[in-house]
Amino acid sequence: MTEQQTKTPYDLPDVNGLAIGILGGTGDQGGGLARRFALAGHQVIIGSRKAERAQQAAEALGEGLPVRGAENAVAASEADVVIVAVPWDGHKATLESLRAELAGKIVVDCVNPLGFDKKGAYPLPVEEGSAAQQAEAVLTGSRVVAAFHHVSAKLLLDPEVDEMELDVLVLGDDREATDLVQALAGRIPGMRGVYGGRLRNAHQVEAFTANLISINRRYKAHAGLRITDV
Amino acid sequence: MTEQQTKTPYDLPDVNGLAIGILGGTGDQGGGLARRFALAGHQVIIGSRKAERAQQAAEALGEGLPVRGAENAVAASEADVVIVAVPWDGHKATLESLRAELAGKIVVDCVNPLGFDKKGAYPLPVEEGSAAQQAEAVLTGSRVVAAFHHVSAKLLLDPEVDEMELDVLVLGDDREATDLVQALAGRIPGMRGVYGGRLRNAHQVEAFTANLISINRRYKAHAGLRITDV
């Protein structure tokens, strides 16, 4: 077995200094990721439809963090890597409106298309197969990666939580892009980015969030995944 | 928070002494589970379409283990709990032929409907939503549970492997049945049974096996899942 074959999830590029844009950064998931990446020393630009709301969300994360707010188009064009954390409802339309700004960039989709009823959460059908594949279909000029689906917004935002013990599954067909996003996940203490397959296998990773919600209810937990033997 | 609310995955029934039938026990997955449950002291009946093949498979697991082989119908009717480990191709037909024998029993489906091409594994569409839901639709008189999807057949059969470090996600709508199957998972050293949601959320757990196959390829591993914070 050669060196090249025995790839580990620790042999990854240096992502220090990359600026991160977060579309939908005014929501809990986006805001939580913004906070953690800022704590890790990244410049973060929270995007929203209205610059004012984005600025308020950035300020709400606390003083002294390198986070600012801007319109989605500004966040998309000024960041090196852009995370899509918008509600599923507005997913397609938001991405369609940002095609030009996102061209050539690594776009990280973390959206989970879920429905809720009295029995709990369940995955919604997606014409393209998954939110990530929908992003790929819309953003033909971008490098789409899927990641950060199972990260608890509550823990991300909790000042008492220093480390988040979980593996972030990173999916995509562009090896350089998935490596970079794995490295980004590793910037948050406790997290590890693990390659999780091609984009065509993103649906079940998104949908599995429904199972984590069931697990959280049953065990009063904030459950995450670890991959064993890796 | 009362005692009843803070349920843990360790407060489970005693399953000592339960006889386990394994439909499709001549395959690697079924044979591996047979071996581990026999090592844990359970009487195991491997089922196959032909009794002779089942007997050969039982003998191949080694001397001194409480495993025998029989026709599927015998394995189904004589066991207390029946695991379905048949190939996806024959899943529906096999279950339809065993409706009577499986009536009233806990039936544990561990089948992953997957396709393979040069890009690796991917989930196959299932009319009922998942293999487990197909089992539920066919076996209207049984108590269907989904579990053991992510267990590496190779590790189950490896005599060098004493402990299997992973959580077995157990899905179903019958609490007593899922508790019992969680306890069964816990009989294999290193494994823990964790409730993973209702049967309607089984598809993504089955499909996630495709991602584990990708992970195994990338990292030369036998990857499994652990659920954190539970």
PDB file of all heavy atoms in Angstrom, chain B residues 176-211:
ATOM      1  N   GLU B 176     -41.401  -1.521  22.687  1.00  0.00           N
ATOM      2  CA  GLU B 176     -40.965  -2.750  23.330  1.00  0.00           C
ATOM      3  C   GLU B 176     -40.037  -3.529  22.391  1.00  0.00           C
ATOM      4  O   GLU B 176     -39.035  -4.088  22.809  1.00  0.00           O
ATOM      5  CB  GLU B 176     -42.198  -3.594  23.658  1.00  0.00           C
ATOM      6  CG  GLU B 176     -42.058  -4.536  24.819  1.00  0.00           C
ATOM      7  CD  GLU B 176     -43.370  -5.314  25.036  1.00  0.00           C
ATOM      8  OE1 GLU B 176     -43.777  -6.083  24.126  1.00  0.00           O
ATOM      9  OE2 GLU B 176     -43.983  -5.120  26.082  1.00  0.00           O
ATOM     10  N   ALA B 177     -40.382  -3.522  21.118  1.00  0.00           N
ATOM     11  CA  ALA B 177     -39.590  -4.256  20.126  1.00  0.00           C
ATOM     12  C   ALA B 177     -38.237  -3.585  19.883  1.00  0.00           C
ATOM     13  O   ALA B 177     -37.203  -4.257  19.803  1.00  0.00           O
ATOM     14  CB  ALA B 177     -40.369  -4.376  18.808  1.00  0.00           C
ATOM     15  N   THR B 178     -38.216  -2.257  19.775  1.00  0.00           N
ATOM     16  CA  THR B 178     -36.926  -1.595  19.550  1.00  0.00           C
ATOM     17  C   THR B 178     -36.032  -1.737  20.784  1.00  0.00           C
ATOM     18  O   THR B 178     -34.824  -1.935  20.662  1.00  0.00           O
ATOM     19  CB  THR B 178     -37.082  -0.097  19.171  1.00  0.00           C
ATOM     20  OG1 THR B 178     -37.862   0.573  20.154  1.00  0.00           O
ATOM     21  CG2 THR B 178     -37.727   0.059  17.806  1.00  0.00           C
ATOM     22  N   ASP B 179     -36.627  -1.675  21.977  1.00  0.00           N
ATOM     23  CA  ASP B 179     -35.828  -1.876  23.197  1.00  0.00           C
ATOM     24  C   ASP B 179     -35.179  -3.260  23.182  1.00  0.00           C
ATOM     25  O   ASP B 179     -33.999  -3.412  23.502  1.00  0.00           O
ATOM     26  CB  ASP B 179     -36.718  -1.759  24.447  1.00  0.00           C
ATOM     27  CG  ASP B 179     -36.928  -0.314  24.895  1.00  0.00           C
ATOM     28  OD1 ASP B 179     -36.377   0.601  24.245  1.00  0.00           O
ATOM     29  OD2 ASP B 179     -37.645  -0.101  25.880  1.00  0.00           O
ATOM     30  N   LEU B 180     -35.949  -4.267  22.791  1.00  0.00           N
ATOM     31  CA  LEU B 180     -35.426  -5.634  22.788  1.00  0.00           C
ATOM     32  C   LEU B 180     -34.296  -5.778  21.765  1.00  0.00           C
ATOM     33  O   LEU B 180     -33.261  -6.404  22.043  1.00  0.00           O
ATOM     34  CB  LEU B 180     -36.564  -6.615  22.491  1.00  0.00           C
ATOM     35  CG  LEU B 180     -36.209  -8.099  22.579  1.00  0.00           C
ATOM     36  CD1 LEU B 180     -37.366  -8.899  23.169  1.00  0.00           C
ATOM     37  CD2 LEU B 180     -35.847  -8.655  21.192  1.00  0.00           C
ATOM     38  N   VAL B 181     -34.458  -5.168  20.604  1.00  0.00           N
ATOM     39  CA  VAL B 181     -33.408  -5.284  19.576  1.00  0.00           C
ATOM     40  C   VAL B 181     -32.172  -4.479  19.984  1.00  0.00           C
ATOM     41  O   VAL B 181     -31.038  -4.896  19.726  1.00  0.00           O
ATOM     42  CB  VAL B 181     -33.957  -4.866  18.193  1.00  0.00           C
ATOM     43  CG1 VAL B 181     -32.859  -4.883  17.139  1.00  0.00           C
ATOM     44  CG2 VAL B 181     -35.096  -5.804  17.780  1.00  0.00           C
ATOM     45  N   GLN B 182     -32.375  -3.350  20.653  1.00  0.00           N
ATOM     46  CA  GLN B 182     -31.213  -2.630  21.194  1.00  0.00           C
ATOM     47  C   GLN B 182     -30.439  -3.517  22.171  1.00  0.00           C
ATOM     48  O   GLN B 182     -29.206  -3.561  22.156  1.00  0.00           O
ATOM     49  CB  GLN B 182     -31.664  -1.362  21.934  1.00  0.00           C
ATOM     50  CG  GLN B 182     -32.052  -0.230  21.027  1.00  0.00           C
ATOM     51  CD  GLN B 182     -32.528   0.975  21.830  1.00  0.00           C
ATOM     52  OE1 GLN B 182     -33.683   1.348  21.753  1.00  0.00           O
ATOM     53  NE2 GLN B 182     -31.644   1.565  22.604  1.00  0.00           N
ATOM     54  N   ALA B 183     -31.171  -4.223  23.000  1.00  0.00           N
ATOM     55  CA  ALA B 183     -30.519  -5.119  23.959  1.00  0.00           C
ATOM     56  C   ALA B 183     -29.765  -6.231  23.228  1.00  0.00           C
ATOM     57  O   ALA B 183     -28.650  -6.597  23.620  1.00  0.00           O
ATOM     58  CB  ALA B 183     -31.560  -5.720  24.904  1.00  0.00           C
ATOM     59  N   LEU B 184     -30.338  -6.742  22.162  1.00  0.00           N
ATOM     60  CA  LEU B 184     -29.668  -7.785  21.372  1.00  0.00           C
ATOM     61  C   LEU B 184     -28.352  -7.253  20.796  1.00  0.00           C
ATOM     62  O   LEU B 184     -27.331  -7.935  20.817  1.00  0.00           O
ATOM     63  CB  LEU B 184     -30.555  -8.258  20.227  1.00  0.00           C
ATOM     64  CG  LEU B 184     -31.528  -9.401  20.494  1.00  0.00           C
ATOM     65  CD1 LEU B 184     -32.263  -9.744  19.208  1.00  0.00           C
ATOM     66  CD2 LEU B 184     -30.818 -10.632  21.056  1.00  0.00           C
ATOM     67  N   ALA B 185     -28.380  -6.041  20.258  1.00  0.00           N
ATOM     68  CA  ALA B 185     -27.150  -5.447  19.711  1.00  0.00           C
ATOM     69  C   ALA B 185     -26.080  -5.375  20.792  1.00  0.00           C
ATOM     70  O   ALA B 185     -24.899  -5.635  20.542  1.00  0.00           O
ATOM     71  CB  ALA B 185     -27.437  -4.058  19.141  1.00  0.00           C
ATOM     72  N   GLY B 186     -26.515  -5.068  22.002  1.00  0.00           N
ATOM     73  CA  GLY B 186     -25.589  -4.949  23.115  1.00  0.00           C
ATOM     74  C   GLY B 186     -24.965  -6.270  23.542  1.00  0.00           C
ATOM     75  O   GLY B 186     -24.025  -6.278  24.339  1.00  0.00           O
ATOM     76  N   ARG B 187     -25.453  -7.387  23.038  1.00  0.00           N
ATOM     77  CA  ARG B 187     -24.879  -8.700  23.367  1.00  0.00           C
ATOM     78  C   ARG B 187     -23.567  -8.938  22.631  1.00  0.00           C
ATOM     79  O   ARG B 187     -22.809  -9.831  22.974  1.00  0.00           O
ATOM     80  CB  ARG B 187     -25.867  -9.817  22.986  1.00  0.00           C
ATOM     81  CG  ARG B 187     -27.202  -9.725  23.692  1.00  0.00           C
ATOM     82  CD  ARG B 187     -27.144 -10.266  25.094  1.00  0.00           C
ATOM     83  NE  ARG B 187     -26.926 -11.714  25.095  1.00  0.00           N
ATOM     84  CZ  ARG B 187     -26.618 -12.431  26.167  1.00  0.00           C
ATOM     85  NH1 ARG B 187     -26.464 -11.825  27.332  1.00  0.00           N
ATOM     86  NH2 ARG B 187     -26.459 -13.732  26.087  1.00  0.00           N
ATOM     87  N   ILE B 188     -23.304  -8.175  21.586  1.00  0.00           N
ATOM     88  CA  ILE B 188     -22.058  -8.325  20.828  1.00  0.00           C
ATOM     89  C   ILE B 188     -21.041  -7.326  21.392  1.00  0.00           C
ATOM     90  O   ILE B 188     -21.312  -6.125  21.424  1.00  0.00           O
ATOM     91  CB  ILE B 188     -22.303  -8.087  19.316  1.00  0.00           C
ATOM     92  CG1 ILE B 188     -23.342  -9.102  18.791  1.00  0.00           C
ATOM     93  CG2 ILE B 188     -20.984  -8.182  18.538  1.00  0.00           C
ATOM     94  CD1 ILE B 188     -23.702  -8.943  17.331  1.00  0.00           C
ATOM     95  N   PRO B 189     -19.899  -7.825  21.863  1.00  0.00           N
ATOM     96  CA  PRO B 189     -18.940  -6.938  22.532  1.00  0.00           C
ATOM     97  C   PRO B 189     -18.554  -5.728  21.688  1.00  0.00           C
ATOM     98  O   PRO B 189     -18.220  -5.871  20.501  1.00  0.00           O
ATOM     99  CB  PRO B 189     -17.729  -7.854  22.763  1.00  0.00           C
ATOM    100  CG  PRO B 189     -18.308  -9.225  22.854  1.00  0.00           C
ATOM    101  CD  PRO B 189     -19.450  -9.230  21.879  1.00  0.00           C
ATOM    102  N   GLY B 190     -18.617  -4.547  22.296  1.00  0.00           N
ATOM    103  CA  GLY B 190     -18.274  -3.304  21.620  1.00  0.00           C
ATOM    104  C   GLY B 190     -19.482  -2.605  21.018  1.00  0.00           C
ATOM    105  O   GLY B 190     -19.480  -1.399  20.831  1.00  0.00           O
ATOM    106  N   MET B 191     -20.514  -3.368  20.678  1.00  0.00           N
ATOM    107  CA  MET B 191     -21.700  -2.771  20.059  1.00  0.00           C
ATOM    108  C   MET B 191     -22.649  -2.213  21.108  1.00  0.00           C
ATOM    109  O   MET B 191     -22.755  -2.736  22.203  1.00  0.00           O
ATOM    110  CB  MET B 191     -22.475  -3.832  19.268  1.00  0.00           C
ATOM    111  CG  MET B 191     -21.939  -4.087  17.903  1.00  0.00           C
ATOM    112  SD  MET B 191     -23.137  -5.057  16.965  1.00  0.00           S
ATOM    113  CE  MET B 191     -22.021  -5.780  15.776  1.00  0.00           C
ATOM    114  N   ARG B 192     -23.363  -1.176  20.688  1.00  0.00           N
ATOM    115  CA  ARG B 192     -24.403  -0.612  21.517  1.00  0.00           C
ATOM    116  C   ARG B 192     -25.610  -0.378  20.639  1.00  0.00           C
ATOM    117  O   ARG B 192     -25.461   0.115  19.510  1.00  0.00           O
ATOM    118  CB  ARG B 192     -23.907   0.711  22.101  1.00  0.00           C
ATOM    119  CG  ARG B 192     -24.884   1.397  23.020  1.00  0.00           C
ATOM    120  CD  ARG B 192     -24.289   2.688  23.591  1.00  0.00           C
ATOM    121  NE  ARG B 192     -24.070   3.709  22.573  1.00  0.00           N
ATOM    122  CZ  ARG B 192     -24.042   5.023  22.826  1.00  0.00           C
ATOM    123  NH1 ARG B 192     -24.193   5.460  24.066  1.00  0.00           N
ATOM    124  NH2 ARG B 192     -23.833   5.894  21.856  1.00  0.00           N
ATOM    125  N   GLY B 193     -26.769  -0.716  21.108  1.00  0.00           N
ATOM    126  CA  GLY B 193     -27.997  -0.435  20.363  1.00  0.00           C
ATOM    127  C   GLY B 193     -28.526   0.926  20.758  1.00  0.00           C
ATOM    128  O   GLY B 193     -28.723   1.197  21.940  1.00  0.00           O
ATOM    129  N   VAL B 194     -28.753   1.785  19.797  1.00  0.00           N
ATOM    130  CA  VAL B 194     -29.264   3.139  20.050  1.00  0.00           C
ATOM    131  C   VAL B 194     -30.534   3.330  19.228  1.00  0.00           C
ATOM    132  O   VAL B 194     -30.555   3.034  18.029  1.00  0.00           O
ATOM    133  CB  VAL B 194     -28.213   4.207  19.657  1.00  0.00           C
ATOM    134  CG1 VAL B 194     -28.781   5.617  19.785  1.00  0.00           C
ATOM    135  CG2 VAL B 194     -26.957   4.069  20.512  1.00  0.00           C
ATOM    136  N   TYR B 195     -31.595   3.802  19.873  1.00  0.00           N
ATOM    137  CA  TYR B 195     -32.818   4.090  19.138  1.00  0.00           C
ATOM    138  C   TYR B 195     -32.527   5.126  18.062  1.00  0.00           C
ATOM    139  O   TYR B 195     -31.882   6.137  18.325  1.00  0.00           O
ATOM    140  CB  TYR B 195     -33.889   4.614  20.106  1.00  0.00           C
ATOM    141  CG  TYR B 195     -35.135   5.103  19.415  1.00  0.00           C
ATOM    142  CD1 TYR B 195     -36.020   4.199  18.823  1.00  0.00           C
ATOM    143  CD2 TYR B 195     -35.431   6.457  19.335  1.00  0.00           C
ATOM    144  CE1 TYR B 195     -37.165   4.639  18.184  1.00  0.00           C
ATOM    145  CE2 TYR B 195     -36.572   6.915  18.700  1.00  0.00           C
ATOM    146  CZ  TYR B 195     -37.436   5.993  18.124  1.00  0.00           C
ATOM    147  OH  TYR B 195     -38.558   6.439  17.478  1.00  0.00           O
ATOM    148  N   GLY B 196     -33.001   4.859  16.839  1.00  0.00           N
ATOM    149  CA  GLY B 196     -32.646   5.731  15.727  1.00  0.00           C
ATOM    150  C   GLY B 196     -33.815   6.361  15.003  1.00  0.00           C
ATOM    151  O   GLY B 196     -33.629   6.966  13.943  1.00  0.00           O
ATOM    152  N   GLY B 197     -35.029   6.228  15.554  1.00  0.00           N
ATOM    153  CA  GLY B 197     -36.180   6.870  14.927  1.00  0.00           C
ATOM    154  C   GLY B 197     -37.243   5.878  14.487  1.00  0.00           C
ATOM    155  O   GLY B 197     -37.097   4.664  14.652  1.00  0.00           O
ATOM    156  N   ARG B 198     -38.298   6.415  13.934  1.00  0.00           N
ATOM    157  CA  ARG B 198     -39.409   5.595  13.441  1.00  0.00           C
ATOM    158  C   ARG B 198     -39.035   4.909  12.131  1.00  0.00           C
ATOM    159  O   ARG B 198     -38.111   5.323  11.442  1.00  0.00           O
ATOM    160  CB  ARG B 198     -40.647   6.467  13.220  1.00  0.00           C
ATOM    161  CG  ARG B 198     -41.235   6.987  14.500  1.00  0.00           C
ATOM    162  CD  ARG B 198     -42.360   7.967  14.222  1.00  0.00           C
ATOM    163  NE  ARG B 198     -42.900   8.471  15.468  1.00  0.00           N
ATOM    164  CZ  ARG B 198     -43.882   7.867  16.153  1.00  0.00           C
ATOM    165  NH1 ARG B 198     -44.430   6.761  15.671  1.00  0.00           N
ATOM    166  NH2 ARG B 198     -44.310   8.368  17.285  1.00  0.00           N
ATOM    167  N   LEU B 199     -39.840   3.917  11.782  1.00  0.00           N
ATOM    168  CA  LEU B 199     -39.577   3.154  10.565  1.00  0.00           C
ATOM    169  C   LEU B 199     -39.632   4.045   9.313  1.00  0.00           C
ATOM    170  O   LEU B 199     -38.950   3.777   8.320  1.00  0.00           O
ATOM    171  CB  LEU B 199     -40.601   2.015  10.448  1.00  0.00           C
ATOM    172  CG  LEU B 199     -40.054   0.647  10.078  1.00  0.00           C
ATOM    173  CD1 LEU B 199     -38.891   0.228  10.937  1.00  0.00           C
ATOM    174  CD2 LEU B 199     -41.149  -0.396  10.135  1.00  0.00           C
ATOM    175  N   ARG B 200     -40.412   5.104   9.359  1.00  0.00           N
ATOM    176  CA  ARG B 200     -40.492   5.981   8.184  1.00  0.00           C
ATOM    177  C   ARG B 200     -39.161   6.688   7.922  1.00  0.00           C
ATOM    178  O   ARG B 200     -38.975   7.258   6.848  1.00  0.00           O
ATOM    179  CB  ARG B 200     -41.619   7.002   8.333  1.00  0.00           C
ATOM    180  CG  ARG B 200     -41.353   8.081   9.356  1.00  0.00           C
ATOM    181  CD  ARG B 200     -42.459   9.133   9.307  1.00  0.00           C
ATOM    182  NE  ARG B 200     -42.220  10.181  10.288  1.00  0.00           N
ATOM    183  CZ  ARG B 200     -42.995  11.263  10.407  1.00  0.00           C
ATOM    184  NH1 ARG B 200     -44.045  11.411   9.610  1.00  0.00           N
ATOM    185  NH2 ARG B 200     -42.729  12.177  11.307  1.00  0.00           N
ATOM    186  N   ASN B 201     -38.264   6.668   8.894  1.00  0.00           N
ATOM    187  CA  ASN B 201     -36.935   7.247   8.701  1.00  0.00           C
ATOM    188  C   ASN B 201     -35.857   6.188   8.496  1.00  0.00           C
ATOM    189  O   ASN B 201     -34.664   6.440   8.729  1.00  0.00           O
ATOM    190  CB  ASN B 201     -36.592   8.174   9.873  1.00  0.00           C
ATOM    191  CG  ASN B 201     -37.267   9.535   9.746  1.00  0.00           C
ATOM    192  OD1 ASN B 201     -37.373  10.071   8.636  1.00  0.00           O
ATOM    193  ND2 ASN B 201     -37.744  10.085  10.839  1.00  0.00           N
ATOM    194  N   ALA B 202     -36.266   5.000   8.041  1.00  0.00           N
ATOM    195  CA  ALA B 202     -35.295   3.911   7.827  1.00  0.00           C
ATOM    196  C   ALA B 202     -34.526   4.072   6.512  1.00  0.00           C
ATOM    197  O   ALA B 202     -33.382   3.630   6.407  1.00  0.00           O
ATOM    198  CB  ALA B 202     -36.000   2.556   7.847  1.00  0.00           C
ATOM    199  N   HIS B 203     -35.133   4.699   5.520  1.00  0.00           N
ATOM    200  CA  HIS B 203     -34.472   4.766   4.206  1.00  0.00           C
ATOM    201  C   HIS B 203     -33.057   5.330   4.299  1.00  0.00           C
ATOM    202  O   HIS B 203     -32.099   4.769   3.753  1.00  0.00           O
ATOM    203  CB  HIS B 203     -35.280   5.607   3.212  1.00  0.00           C
ATOM    204  CG  HIS B 203     -34.460   6.010   2.021  1.00  0.00           C
ATOM    205  ND1 HIS B 203     -34.099   5.106   1.047  1.00  0.00           N
ATOM    206  CD2 HIS B 203     -33.860   7.178   1.686  1.00  0.00           C
ATOM    207  CE1 HIS B 203     -33.328   5.716   0.161  1.00  0.00           C
ATOM    208  NE2 HIS B 203     -33.173   6.972   0.523  1.00  0.00           N
ATOM    209  N   GLN B 204     -32.927   6.448   4.975  1.00  0.00           N
ATOM    210  CA  GLN B 204     -31.605   7.098   4.993  1.00  0.00           C
ATOM    211  C   GLN B 204     -30.585   6.279   5.777  1.00  0.00           C
ATOM    212  O   GLN B 204     -29.390   6.373   5.504  1.00  0.00           O
ATOM    213  CB  GLN B 204     -31.698   8.538   5.502  1.00  0.00           C
ATOM    214  CG  GLN B 204     -32.398   8.728   6.823  1.00  0.00           C
ATOM    215  CD  GLN B 204     -33.868   9.060   6.632  1.00  0.00           C
ATOM    216  OE1 GLN B 204     -34.499   8.663   5.651  1.00  0.00           O
ATOM    217  NE2 GLN B 204     -34.438   9.778   7.583  1.00  0.00           N
ATOM    218  N   VAL B 205     -31.047   5.482   6.717  1.00  0.00           N
ATOM    219  CA  VAL B 205     -30.108   4.627   7.459  1.00  0.00           C
ATOM    220  C   VAL B 205     -29.626   3.489   6.548  1.00  0.00           C
ATOM    221  O   VAL B 205     -28.432   3.180   6.502  1.00  0.00           O
ATOM    222  CB  VAL B 205     -30.771   4.098   8.748  1.00  0.00           C
ATOM    223  CG1 VAL B 205     -29.866   3.097   9.459  1.00  0.00           C
ATOM    224  CG2 VAL B 205     -31.101   5.263   9.683  1.00  0.00           C
ATOM    225  N   GLU B 206     -30.544   2.902   5.809  1.00  0.00           N
ATOM    226  CA  GLU B 206     -30.153   1.884   4.834  1.00  0.00           C
ATOM    227  C   GLU B 206     -29.220   2.488   3.781  1.00  0.00           C
ATOM    228  O   GLU B 206     -28.161   1.941   3.460  1.00  0.00           O
ATOM    229  CB  GLU B 206     -31.402   1.297   4.155  1.00  0.00           C
ATOM    230  CG  GLU B 206     -32.346   0.582   5.122  1.00  0.00           C
ATOM    231  CD  GLU B 206     -33.685   0.186   4.476  1.00  0.00           C
ATOM    232  OE1 GLU B 206     -33.862   0.423   3.260  1.00  0.00           O
ATOM    233  OE2 GLU B 206     -34.537  -0.366   5.200  1.00  0.00           O
ATOM    234  N   ALA B 207     -29.632   3.624   3.235  1.00  0.00           N
ATOM    235  CA  ALA B 207     -28.872   4.257   2.153  1.00  0.00           C
ATOM    236  C   ALA B 207     -27.493   4.713   2.602  1.00  0.00           C
ATOM    237  O   ALA B 207     -26.545   4.748   1.800  1.00  0.00           O
ATOM    238  CB  ALA B 207     -29.666   5.459   1.608  1.00  0.00           C
ATOM    239  N   PHE B 208     -27.366   5.038   3.883  1.00  0.00           N
ATOM    240  CA  PHE B 208     -26.084   5.535   4.396  1.00  0.00           C
ATOM    241  C   PHE B 208     -24.978   4.481   4.278  1.00  0.00           C
ATOM    242  O   PHE B 208     -23.789   4.820   4.308  1.00  0.00           O
ATOM    243  CB  PHE B 208     -26.232   6.013   5.842  1.00  0.00           C
ATOM    244  CG  PHE B 208     -25.026   6.747   6.349  1.00  0.00           C
ATOM    245  CD1 PHE B 208     -24.751   8.035   5.918  1.00  0.00           C
ATOM    246  CD2 PHE B 208     -24.137   6.133   7.211  1.00  0.00           C
ATOM    247  CE1 PHE B 208     -23.616   8.699   6.350  1.00  0.00           C
ATOM    248  CE2 PHE B 208     -22.994   6.790   7.656  1.00  0.00           C
ATOM    249  CZ  PHE B 208     -22.740   8.081   7.224  1.00  0.00           C
ATOM    250  N   THR B 209     -25.373   3.248   4.103  1.00  0.00           N
ATOM    251  CA  THR B 209     -24.374   2.196   3.882  1.00  0.00           C
ATOM    252  C   THR B 209     -23.536   2.503   2.641  1.00  0.00           C
ATOM    253  O   THR B 209     -22.343   2.180   2.594  1.00  0.00           O
ATOM    254  CB  THR B 209     -25.081   0.838   3.751  1.00  0.00           C
ATOM    255  OG1 THR B 209     -25.904   0.661   4.915  1.00  0.00           O
ATOM    256  CG2 THR B 209     -24.092  -0.311   3.661  1.00  0.00           C
ATOM    257  N   ALA B 210     -24.132   3.154   1.654  1.00  0.00           N
ATOM    258  CA  ALA B 210     -23.369   3.564   0.464  1.00  0.00           C
ATOM    259  C   ALA B 210     -22.262   4.545   0.851  1.00  0.00           C
ATOM    260  O   ALA B 210     -21.142   4.479   0.329  1.00  0.00           O
ATOM    261  CB  ALA B 210     -24.305   4.198  -0.569  1.00  0.00           C
ATOM    262  N   ASN B 211     -22.558   5.453   1.784  1.00  0.00           N
ATOM    263  CA  ASN B 211     -21.545   6.408   2.231  1.00  0.00           C
ATOM    264  C   ASN B 211     -20.436   5.704   2.997  1.00  0.00           C
ATOM    265  O   ASN B 211     -19.257   6.035   2.840  1.00  0.00           O
ATOM    266  CB  ASN B 211     -22.195   7.482   3.116  1.00  0.00           C
ATOM    267  CG  ASN B 211     -23.289   8.237   2.385  1.00  0.00           C
ATOM    268  OD1 ASN B 211     -24.370   7.694   2.170  1.00  0.00           O
ATOM    269  ND2 ASN B 211     -23.016   9.454   1.977  1.00  0.00           N
TER     270      ASN B 211
END
